[in-house]
Amino acid sequence: MGFLSVLSFAHKLIAERLPPGGRAIDATVGTGADTLFLAKAAGPRGGVYGFDIQPQALALAGERLRLAREEAPAALAPVTLLLQSHAAMAEAVPPAWRGTVSAVMFNLGYLPAGDADKTIITEPQSTLAALEAALALLRPGGIITAVLYPGHEGGGREAAAVEAWAAGLAQQDAQTIVYRQLQRESAPYVVAVEKKRS
């Protein structure tokens, strides 16, 4: 039967914690697969914000969302796509969202579109700032998932930084897990952070 892929595992964790009408953030929009997943899970009464620094990513995601809305017009949450770094998350989402977000997804690395510039990658400094912002935005019981890619140039450094950040969180504030294939050092893996209920 096999284990879940890292993306499926991240989606499973999110689906268990993002209720209909909930709020969610896609910190790295990319081609929009996670954005669409969040919009479906949150439903028409929910809301989703998405961040990416590449216009190409927002165009791909916008088209994916448009096609999904054509198929099922009333099934998706309203989605706001922003051409901004995820490090600006705290300032970019409405103040009313602070402490109410159910899920924040990070899918790090580069834009996986065929003609995209693979030298444009997420960087540890902005990713760590975004993770801090995401944790502050979460509701108690909310979750952050980060899919990490140690196999590409710069990816190992970023993965190590994210893992160290998660491991350093106080246990009374959050619990953290790692989901990874141990026999393949360069395989993608997931770090997940659940905010503790006070």
Side-chain angles (χ1 to χ4, degrees):
M1 176 158 142
F3 294 114
L4 290 173
S5 72
V6 291
L7 288 172
S8 296
F9 184 73
H11 283 191
K12 181 180 188 308
L13 293 176
I14 297 279
E16 292 167 354
R17 291 162 181 83
L18 175 55
R23 291 170 168 170
I25 296 170
D26 187 351
T28 50
V29 166
T31 64
D34 290 338
T35 318
L36 178 58
F37 166 76
L38 293 171
K40 284 180 177 175
R45 291 181 298 110
V48 176
Y49 272 79
F51 293 84
D52 210 291
I53 60 167
Q54 296 186 73
Q56 183 184 4
L58 297 189
L60 289 167
E63 179 63 10
R64 187 186 292 258
L65 290 165
R66 186 188 66 75
L67 292 172
R69 284 190 202 289
E70 280 181 7
E71 284 181 26
L76 303 183
V79 176
T80 303
L81 296 175
L82 299 174
L83 185 64
Q84 283 182 274
S85 167
H86 52 205
M89 189 187 300
E91 299 79 42
V93 300
W97 277 45
R98 190 174 181 89
T100 70
V101 174
S102 293
V104 183
M105 297 192 79
F106 289 77
N107 196 343
L108 300 169
Y110 52 76
L111 179 61
D115 59 344
D117 182 350
K118 304 289 194 291
T119 64
I120 301 173
I121 60 171
T122 51
E123 299 285 350
Q125 188 176 357
S126 59
T127 295
L128 293 177
L131 286 164
E132 284 288 346
L135 191 58
L137 289 165
L138 283 186
R139 64 169 175 78
I143 192 167
I144 297 167
T145 60
V147 179
L148 307 169
Y149 296 88
H152 71 82
E153 188 73 33
R157 194 166 50 90
E158 182 175 51
V162 171
E163 206 173 316
W165 172 82
L169 294 173
Q171 287 186 43
Q172 65 267 25
D173 297 333
Q175 63 176 340
T176 62
I177 61 167
V178 175
Y179 179 78
R180 82 183 300 171
Q181 188 177 336
L182 295 175
Q183 297 103 322
R184 288 178 53 226
E185 205 173 298
S186 64
Y189 66 102
V190 177
V191 168
V193 178
E194 185 178 56
K195 192 167 186 175
K196 285 281 183 75
R197 299 174 192 274
S198 45

